Amino acid sequence: MKELPLSKVYQLLEPGPVVLLTTAHKGRVNVMTMSWHMMVEFEPPLVACVVSGANYSFAALLATGECVIAIPARKLAAKVVKVGNSSGRDIDKFETFGLTPILGKRVTPPLVAECFANLECKVTDTSLVKKYNLLILEVLKAWTDPAQKNPKTIHHHGYGKFVVDGETIKLKSNMR
Amino acid sequence: MKELPLSKVYQLLEPGPVVLLTTAHKGRVNVMTMSWHMMVEFEPPLVACVVSGANYSFAALLATGECVIAIPARKLAAKVVKVGNSSGRDIDKFETFGLTPILGKRVTPPLVAECFANLECKVTDTSLVKKYNLLILEVLKAWTDPAQKNPKTIHHHGYGKFVVDGETIKLKSNMR
């Protein structure tokens, strides 16, 4: 994995891909699927996300204040759905679905080796957890896999329907 | 425009498309481009978004507590960029860029006739405005244009680079 400057992190999340979120708590690592996230600040990169209290990851996230956001490309779509349809209460999802946890530098939750990007995060604001299960994360370190060229991400439209990245267009713009 | 059940609104925003946001304040309508948004609740649909204080729309949004989120398809990409690169302080963007404001049912800001979906929203929580310019919106009414079949949305990767929706895949899933 190659380090990505923090100033470029928003370019990964702003397009709205389905992501994986990993946690580590009481000696167990876990991974969930997430689509409700957005950028909040460019740099340091702040990310808002909504994690249901029904998710096994929720308690781990709150207790440890750490997670990794891992971004899967299209080839991982089937695994992403399996991760979303099962609970870390019942199984070790990394082992069951053949995902490889690797150590990051700043937080305990693992990166996902198969993902083309991994963002090490800490929870920085829980003031809207009670009302909306909304957390603010700061990205501390970002990694991309140079071996995955032009990865196509997937975007969830509900009930297992995903749209994959298609054509890229470049328009003259002064919008960052 | 045809009414869309509120229970389906998340299917439009969860994939992370670039959207337009309209406001109406002191007799002037305005429209801005936005990519920092996410779903917060299914029903009633709650949406979080970040609107920079530098945007002319920001004051209107705060003062009136109303907006419309309009979702453009690929054919509007060039106009979406023009909207993002100009300010309502200087010009009437609807007129300048040939967008058609039409009246909704629940709020004063206009729908955008050229967009395939329009969501009438009210601001329901401003507690994170001071810290992050983050607002919570509730979608009161949702509309889609039946004449636009299978619209392809655009997703911003920074500096005018957009990825257009490609292939659709359907996987067996119990994820809503």
Side-chain angles (χ1 to χ4, degrees):
Chain A
M1 293 278 177
K2 193 183 156 210
E3 201 170 341
L4 179 78
L6 293 179
S7 60
K8 294 192 171 179
V9 163
Y10 80 96
Q11 297 176 1
L12 295 172
L13 293 182
E14 184 169 316
V18 176
V19 301
L20 301 176
L21 184 144
T22 81
T23 49
H25 187 40
K26 296 182 177 172
R28 293 181 67 176
V29 294
N30 192 27
V31 54
M32 61 168 275
T33 297
M34 180 169 83
S35 274
W36 289 10
H37 60 76
M38 70 172 176
M39 290 306 302
V40 169
E41 185 52 86
F42 288 108
E43 202 176 356
L46 298 181
V47 178
C49 64
V50 174
V51 178
S52 161
N55 285 316
Y56 186 63
S57 302
F58 180 74
L61 192 51
L62 264 283
T64 66
E66 294 187 338
C67 64
V68 166
I69 293 175
I71 311 180
R74 192 250 177 269
K75 62 177 177 181
L76 288 178
K79 290 188 182 191
V80 166
V81 169
K82 287 175 186 165
V83 165
N85 285 333
S86 56
S87 173
R89 269 180 213 96
D90 310 318
I91 55 169
D92 176 336
K93 295 201 231 180
F94 279 94
E95 195 175 290
T96 306
F97 303 128
L99 294 170
T100 312
I102 53 178
L103 277 176
K105 293 265 192 211
R106 298 288 302 274
V107 299
T108 306
L111 317 185
V112 180
E114 289 79 8
C115 286
F116 73 88
N118 279 275
L119 312 174
E120 300 186 49
C121 302
K122 70 171 177 188
V123 177
T124 57
D125 192 335
T126 57
S127 61
L128 290 186
V129 165
K130 204 169 175 182
K131 211 164 169 188
Y132 307 111
N133 285 67
L134 186 159
L135 302 113
I136 305 286
L137 312 174
E138 180 182 338
V139 180
L140 304 173
K141 200 99 175 168
W143 306 96
T144 55
D145 177 2
Q148 296 195 45
K149 309 275 183 213
N150 302 313
K152 289 183 183 302
T153 60
I154 58 173
H155 302 258
H156 192 226
H157 287 243
Y159 299 102
K161 179 184 168 188
F162 296 88
V163 171
V164 185
D165 287 348
E167 174 200 11
T168 296
I169 54 179
K170 189 84 181 62
L171 297 169
K172 197 167 159 8
S173 172
N174 55 32
M175 283 188 293
R176 181 176 181 185
Chain B
M1 293 277 176
K2 193 183 155 211
E3 200 172 340
L4 179 78
L6 292 180
S7 60
K8 294 192 171 180
V9 163
Y10 80 96
Q11 297 176 2
L12 295 173
L13 292 182
E14 184 169 316
V18 176
V19 300
L20 300 177
L21 185 144
T22 80
T23 49
H25 187 39
K26 295 181 178 170
R28 293 182 67 177
V29 295
N30 191 27
V31 53
M32 60 168 276
T33 298
M34 179 169 83
S35 274
W36 290 10
H37 60 77
M38 69 172 176
M39 290 306 301
V40 169
E41 185 54 84
F42 288 108
E43 202 176 355
L46 298 181
V47 178
C49 65
V50 174
V51 177
S52 162
N55 286 316
Y56 185 63
S57 303
F58 179 74
L61 193 51
L62 264 284
T64 66
E66 295 187 336
C67 63
V68 167
I69 294 175
I71 312 181
R74 192 250 176 269
K75 63 177 176 182
L76 288 177
K79 290 189 182 190
V80 166
V81 169
K82 286 175 187 165
V83 165
N85 285 333
S86 57
S87 173
R89 269 180 214 97
D90 311 317
I91 55 169
D92 176 336
K93 296 202 232 180
F94 279 94
E95 194 175 292
T96 307
F97 303 127
L99 295 169
T100 313
I102 53 177
L103 277 176
K105 293 265 193 209
R106 299 289 302 272
V107 299
T108 306
L111 317 185
V112 180
E114 289 78 8
C115 286
F116 73 88
N118 280 275
L119 312 173
E120 299 186 51
C121 302
K122 70 172 177 188
V123 177
T124 57
D125 192 336
T126 57
S127 61
L128 289 186
V129 165
K130 204 168 176 183
K131 211 163 169 187
Y132 308 111
N133 284 68
L134 187 160
L135 302 114
I136 305 286
L137 311 174
E138 179 183 337
V139 180
L140 305 173
K141 200 100 176 166
W143 306 96
T144 55
D145 177 2
Q148 297 195 45
K149 309 274 183 212
N150 302 312
K152 290 184 182 300
T153 59
I154 57 172
H155 302 258
H156 192 225
H157 287 244
Y159 298 104
K161 179 184 168 188
F162 297 87
V163 171
V164 185
D165 286 349
E167 175 200 10
T168 295
I169 54 180
K170 189 83 181 59
L171 297 169
K172 197 169 160 6
S173 172
N174 55 34
M175 283 187 294
R176 181 176 181 185

